[in-house]
Amino acid sequence: MSPQQTSTAQPVDASGQDLNPAEPDDALKEEYAELVDRVRAARTAYYVEDAPRISDAEYDALYRRLEELEALHPQIVANDSPTQEVGGEVSAAFAPVEHLARMYSLEDVFSTDELVAWMDKTAAAVAELPGAPAPAWLTELKIDGLAVNLLYRGGELVRAATRGDGTTGEDVTHNVRTIGSIPTVLQGEGIPEEVEVRGEVFISAKDFRALNEAIVAEGRAPFANPRNAAAGSLRQKDPEVTARRRLSMYVHGVGAATGLEAATQSEVYGLLEGWGLPVSPYTKVLASTGEVLELIEEYGRRRHDLIHEIDGIVVKIDDRRTQFRLGHTSRVPRWSVAYKYPPEEVNTTLLDILVNVGRTGRVTPFGLMEPVRVAGSTVEMATLHNQDVVRAKGVLIGDTVVLRKAGDVIPEIVGPVVALRDGSEREFVMPTHCPSCGTELRPAKEGDVDIRCPNARSCPAQLRERVFHAAGRGAFDIEALGYEAALALTAPDEPATPPLTSEAQLFDLTPEDLREVRIRREKRRKGEPTGETELVPYFWTKGTAKKPSEPTATTRKLFEELEKAKSQPLWRVLVALSVRHVGPTAARSLATAFGSMQAIRDADEQTLAGVDGVGPTIAAAVTEWFAEPWRCEIVERWAAAGVRMEDEVDASLPRTLEGVTVVVTGSLERYSRDSAKEAVLQRGGKASGSVSRRTDFLVAGENAGTKLDKAEQLGVPVLDEAGFELLLARGPEAFAGDGDDDDTPPPPGAGQDAAAETTDDEDGK
């Protein structure tokens, strides 16, 4: 059984008996909550911002650990866990588009043993279907691109949208029309009156290199990898920019289709190609597991010689009727899987091991290496986590080390090449004092592996990290306050006293306060580095005899965004405070439960711990944070500067949903997903993201999908939009004793092609 299928199931032994696992402790619950937040943040960075902050390999590890915890402890599964959803979100920069049939992710496997096990299990499932043919395996390259859904009506392209969250995507029609390989009008015979065509938009390896060379020549930062180049190009607001990026597309299936007749997926590809759509030249139908493994080995050798970058091989059952009968889990098809190639490895020299001090004081070693090209990028740094990891890996400064990097990921030092040592190598010694402020380092509590700088108030490194965190997308969302700006505010080269000695001063800053701030940068002549450095103003222009110094455009933007940040909701302010363990999930829970910063400060630890989604560990951290006067000063100074410390509550709204859990799925006419969730929360209810036995009501709009199926299986009452509004107005009592199911909407998508195609590029992110 796949991890996706087991994530919410009670573990059983070989005889099928429940193992009844013990209640997880606070540390495990804390780890789980952090994993949920990190996976969700990674998805947003990857799919919405086109700027991944962690590697595919790191994401896969986080996601698998999340699945492992949920399988071992099903009682902690969060209703909004990423394992219960198709990954991805919809950017506010483009109009939302509802897909006619849902787009799914793919289950990933990371070894040939896992792949063989999946194929054996799937073949056994097919053998149990009466009349089903033995599986033929359709194989495709896993393109490093962006999933796109093309909608044709009467043979004409009327809409193109990104995958988004699987139900709702972003309208990128104008940009897709600039891609030469995508026909605006289909040709040939047998074209359905309405059909969704799914595929991957990508940039070829050759065109990617040329694009990055052009961008660097213009003095701009290059794209990290082809996937982000394709995604960033397709999301340009100016279609002319997209047209210059030389994007391509290969289609790999259909979603909703009217009158499409094809017995196999490979026949569908033949039809698509006959209508003028671009189909991958690398697709093959194979008869056996051995042939599939041979193909994986072949493309593993050739992966850098292909038209586009790949990170794996997709394997599907070719027979479409069998696909339909096997169906889907809540987020992946049971008839398709993605095998991912192992991370790539190179050798390089470990020049030094340095340490970084984080916003909570944790001191983390990292390796500084001879720059080396691996997996499409140049790498010179890699984390080593803590002194125990350094010791466990056995690496010495000066070693030749094995560096592993999977695709576009954060690299990992695997270990030393001991045979190449010449005796000049030396051991890393963990510092005893903070490299930023000189304070003696120590564990936060007895038994901790990590050591920390206890000088939270005055350590420049911690302050820098906290200021950068406060400006992040999950907090105040101040785009102009990036990492270098945070460094310039807290530890500039000049003056000796920085503009910020506490984040309490952040909203008191004026442009004049930043006039003298200077940082050291390398001199350049005709665009080339000279090896010399100079002090230059950071927030103001240099100024000349003809044009006096003035705040830069970025500095002006910084102060505009600081002003806007004052009106952010309470939960974002809580995140910005850098309270240990308080991420977006816990912050939302606290803000919803208490409504104001003062109420949170006044609550005792037991009251805080009783809030759903908080618990004793987070409650203790919040209590400890507010016990420090200098931290309370941050709140007071921000409040005095006009930062919002209390959420607006409409007192006229009745608290009709106290203690009621509601799940909203599908598309509603008068509510977006966020506004429907907000309507539930404002009336005292809990807005969940997945259906369980604890769900009181499911609100089902168009294209409700598997949540509707699960609700019906569990006997959860199902409401349409009119029923939802009645629930908001009158609460559960409006439906007491109502056994009439007339208001239950029919399953969305009835009559559509049930074997909706997956998006081959998705890793569950």
Side-chain angles (χ1 to χ4, degrees):
M1 184 171 287
S2 71
Q4 285 81 0
Q5 291 169 275
T6 62
S7 63
T8 58
Q10 183 76 4
V12 296
D13 61 19
S15 66
Q17 280 293 113
D18 289 349
L19 293 177
N20 296 317
E23 181 70 19
D25 60 23
D26 290 342
L28 190 143
K29 290 179 180 177
E30 176 185 328
E31 179 188 5
Y32 177 76
E34 183 178 354
L35 279 171
V36 169
D37 283 344
R38 291 179 68 186
V39 170
R40 191 172 297 283
R43 286 181 170 180
T44 300
Y46 192 87
Y47 291 116
V48 179
E49 300 166 6
D50 299 320
R53 295 182 176 90
I54 64 174
S55 68
D56 284 354
E58 186 175 350
Y59 175 86
D60 290 336
L62 291 174
Y63 193 89
R64 285 197 147 196
R65 176 58 178 163
L66 188 63
E67 290 181 317
E68 178 185 355
L69 290 182
E70 291 183 346
L72 293 173
H73 303 281
Q75 63 269 52
I76 68 169
V77 177
N79 290 326
D80 61 348
S81 170
T83 64
Q84 311 301 306
E85 304 169 352
V86 176
E89 300 175 8
V90 180
S91 169
F94 293 87
V97 171
E98 299 289 334
H99 305 308
L100 301 185
R102 190 179 184 190
M103 299 176 74
Y104 287 83
S105 295
L106 287 177
E107 178 181 349
D108 292 331
V109 295
F110 297 86
S111 69
T112 53
D113 287 344
E114 287 182 271
L115 176 64
V116 171
W118 181 90
M119 293 177 71
D120 289 344
K121 175 197 69 178
T122 304
V126 172
E128 294 178 6
L129 299 176
W137 305 104
L138 177 66
T139 59
E140 306 167 359
L141 303 189
K142 192 171 183 297
I143 302 172
D144 196 10
L146 179 72
V148 169
N149 185 35
L150 309 175
L151 177 60
Y152 287 89
R153 289 197 179 111
E156 183 176 351
L157 178 64
V158 296
R159 192 173 72 200
T162 63
R163 195 287 306 269
D165 63 5
T167 299
T168 304
E170 302 153 331
D171 191 334
V172 290
T173 307
H174 294 301
N175 290 353
V176 164
R177 287 182 182 275
T178 69
I179 301 175
S181 60
I182 300 176
T184 55
V185 178
L186 301 180
Q187 306 294 326
E189 298 179 354
I191 300 171
E193 180 59 30
E194 185 177 72
V195 61
E196 286 180 306
V197 179
R198 275 77 190 269
E200 305 295 319
V201 169
F202 63 92
I203 186 168
S204 72
K206 177 182 176 182
D207 289 336
F208 174 71
R209 288 192 294 270
L211 173 61
N212 263 355
E213 288 172 3
I215 289 175
V216 171
E218 294 171 3
R220 296 185 288 125
F223 285 105
N225 53 68
R227 192 268 171 196
N228 292 115
S233 300
L234 196 61
R235 288 188 170 116
Q236 292 290 321
K237 293 186 177 180
D238 183 357
E240 291 185 6
V241 176
T242 304
R244 294 196 295 268
R245 295 289 173 83
R246 300 180 64 85
L247 298 179
S248 302
M249 183 176 185
Y250 285 151
V251 299
H252 54 57
V254 295
T258 305
L260 178 66
E261 296 184 0
T264 64
Q265 192 76 20
S266 51
E267 288 177 22
V268 171
Y269 291 3
L271 291 173
L272 295 174
E273 187 174 24
W275 299 336
L277 289 157
V279 176
S280 172
Y282 302 115
T283 301
K284 291 183 179 180
V285 178
L286 303 174
S288 68
T289 301
E291 289 176 298
V292 172
L293 296 180
E294 288 176 6
L295 180 133
I296 287 172
E297 183 179 355
E298 175 190 354
Y299 281 117
R301 294 191 302 267
R302 297 175 49 199
R303 60 185 298 186
H304 299 299
D305 302 322
L306 306 174
I307 295 172
H308 50 71
E309 291 290 332
I310 66 170
D311 63 355
I313 301 293
V314 176
V315 180
K316 303 176 181 177
I317 287 181
D318 195 27
D319 184 75
R320 295 182 75 232
R321 174 62 179 167
T322 302
Q323 292 179 5
F324 174 81
R325 295 171 73 183
L326 289 177
H328 303 74
T329 70
S330 62
R331 52 179 299 277
V332 300
R334 293 188 174 93
W335 43 268
S336 185
V337 74
Y339 167 84
K340 298 191 74 173
Y341 285 111
E344 295 181 324
E345 296 179 355
V346 296
N347 289 0
T348 189
T349 303
L350 180 63
L351 301 176
D352 205 349
I353 298 177
L354 307 176
V355 296
N356 179 67
V357 182
R359 64 188 172 95
T360 62
R362 186 174 70 172
V363 180
T364 305
F366 66 93
L368 181 66
M369 297 165 293
E370 188 72 36
V372 62
R373 187 82 176 169
V374 55
S377 61
T378 300
V379 175
E380 55 184 332
M381 289 184 291
T383 183
L384 284 163
H385 302 290
N386 56 56
Q387 67 272 28
D388 286 358
V389 171
V390 177
R391 191 178 304 112
K393 289 181 180 291
V395 293
L396 303 176
I397 297 169
D399 263 337
T400 296
V401 295
V402 177
L403 178 70
R404 176 183 295 155
K405 187 170 183 286
D408 57 345
V409 291
I410 295 172
E412 173 194 2
I413 296 174
V414 179
V417 183
V418 178
L420 297 179
R421 285 179 175 167
D422 61 11
S424 64
E425 300 82 12
R426 68 186 192 278
E427 288 189 11
F428 165 70
V429 179
M430 192 73 175
T432 58
H433 290 75
C434 176
S436 180
C437 68
T439 303
E440 186 175 0
L441 303 175
R442 62 173 185 260
K445 59 181 183 290
E446 188 177 351
D448 277 2
V449 173
D450 295 324
I451 61 171
R452 297 177 184 270
C453 170
N455 182 22
R457 180 177 187 177
S458 305
C459 177
Q462 292 184 60
L463 175 60
R464 174 195 67 222
E465 297 292 337
R466 292 198 303 266
V467 170
F468 177 62
H469 171 77
R473 290 183 181 273
F476 284 126
D477 195 15
I478 304 171
E479 184 180 348
L481 183 45
Y483 195 80
E484 189 178 45
L487 180 62
L489 287 172
T490 58
D493 290 281
E494 287 187 1
T497 301
L500 289 184
T501 56
S502 166
E503 59 265 53
Q505 304 160 329
L506 181 61
F507 292 95
D508 296 330
L509 288 172
T510 68
E512 191 63 32
D513 294 332
L514 310 182
R515 178 191 286 270
E516 303 303 325
V517 172
R518 282 166 169 73
I519 63 172
R520 188 167 295 280
R521 282 185 172 159
E522 187 174 26
K523 289 183 178 180
R524 302 180 76 88
R525 292 191 182 93
K526 297 182 180 180
E528 294 298 320
T530 64
E532 302 174 6
T533 63
E534 61 178 340
L535 285 172
V536 296
Y538 186 83
F539 295 102
W540 286 57
T541 61
K542 280 187 176 181
T544 64
K546 293 183 179 180
K547 190 174 182 181
S549 177
E550 62 181 4
T552 66
T554 301
T555 300
R556 293 194 297 272
K557 183 179 180 183
L558 168 62
F559 282 92
E560 291 171 2
E561 292 182 339
L562 280 168
E563 191 62 34
K564 291 179 183 177
K566 294 177 182 179
S567 61
Q568 291 283 20
L570 177 61
W571 72 266
R572 286 183 174 273
V573 181
L574 284 166
V575 173
L577 292 175
S578 282
V579 182
R580 194 176 179 193
H581 308 309
V582 178
T585 299
R588 282 191 177 96
S589 297
L590 289 166
T592 300
F594 294 98
S596 72
M597 189 70 73
Q598 189 60 51
I600 295 170
R601 291 179 65 173
D602 292 343
D604 59 34
E605 189 171 325
Q606 184 176 358
T607 303
L608 291 169
V611 174
D612 187 29
V614 178
T617 299
I618 295 174
V622 172
T623 303
E624 178 184 337
W625 195 92
F626 280 111
E628 291 282 354
W630 69 268
R631 285 170 168 156
C632 293
E633 182 188 357
I634 298 169
V635 173
E636 291 158 4
R637 290 277 295 270
W638 285 3
V643 175
R644 182 169 144 189
M645 294 290 167
E646 184 172 350
D647 281 340
E648 297 176 7
V649 177
D650 187 348
S652 66
L653 291 175
R655 303 285 287 182
T656 52
L657 300 181
E658 293 281 4
V660 177
T661 299
V662 181
V663 175
V664 180
T665 186
S667 303
L668 303 176
E669 290 185 6
R670 292 179 291 278
Y671 296 86
S672 67
R673 181 172 299 181
D674 285 341
S675 66
K677 181 177 182 178
E678 189 66 22
V680 172
L681 294 174
Q682 287 174 345
R683 290 161 177 81
K686 180 178 180 180
S688 176
S690 61
V691 177
S692 72
R693 296 188 184 279
R694 295 185 295 274
T695 304
D696 295 299
F697 292 94
L698 175 80
V699 179
E702 292 296 321
N703 300 314
T706 56
K707 290 180 183 177
L708 175 60
D709 297 335
K710 187 170 183 179
E712 291 173 339
Q713 291 170 7
L714 296 176
V716 174
V718 179
L719 307 177
D720 60 9
E721 188 163 358
F724 179 47
E725 294 184 330
L726 184 60
L727 178 68
L728 295 175
R730 295 172 50 191
E733 291 75 12
F735 304 94
D738 183 4
D740 188 356
D741 292 331
D742 290 346
D743 286 338
T744 303
Q752 296 178 356
D753 180 11
E757 185 57 39
T758 68
T759 61
D760 285 353
D761 77 317
E762 305 306 332
D763 306 328
K765 291 186 182 173

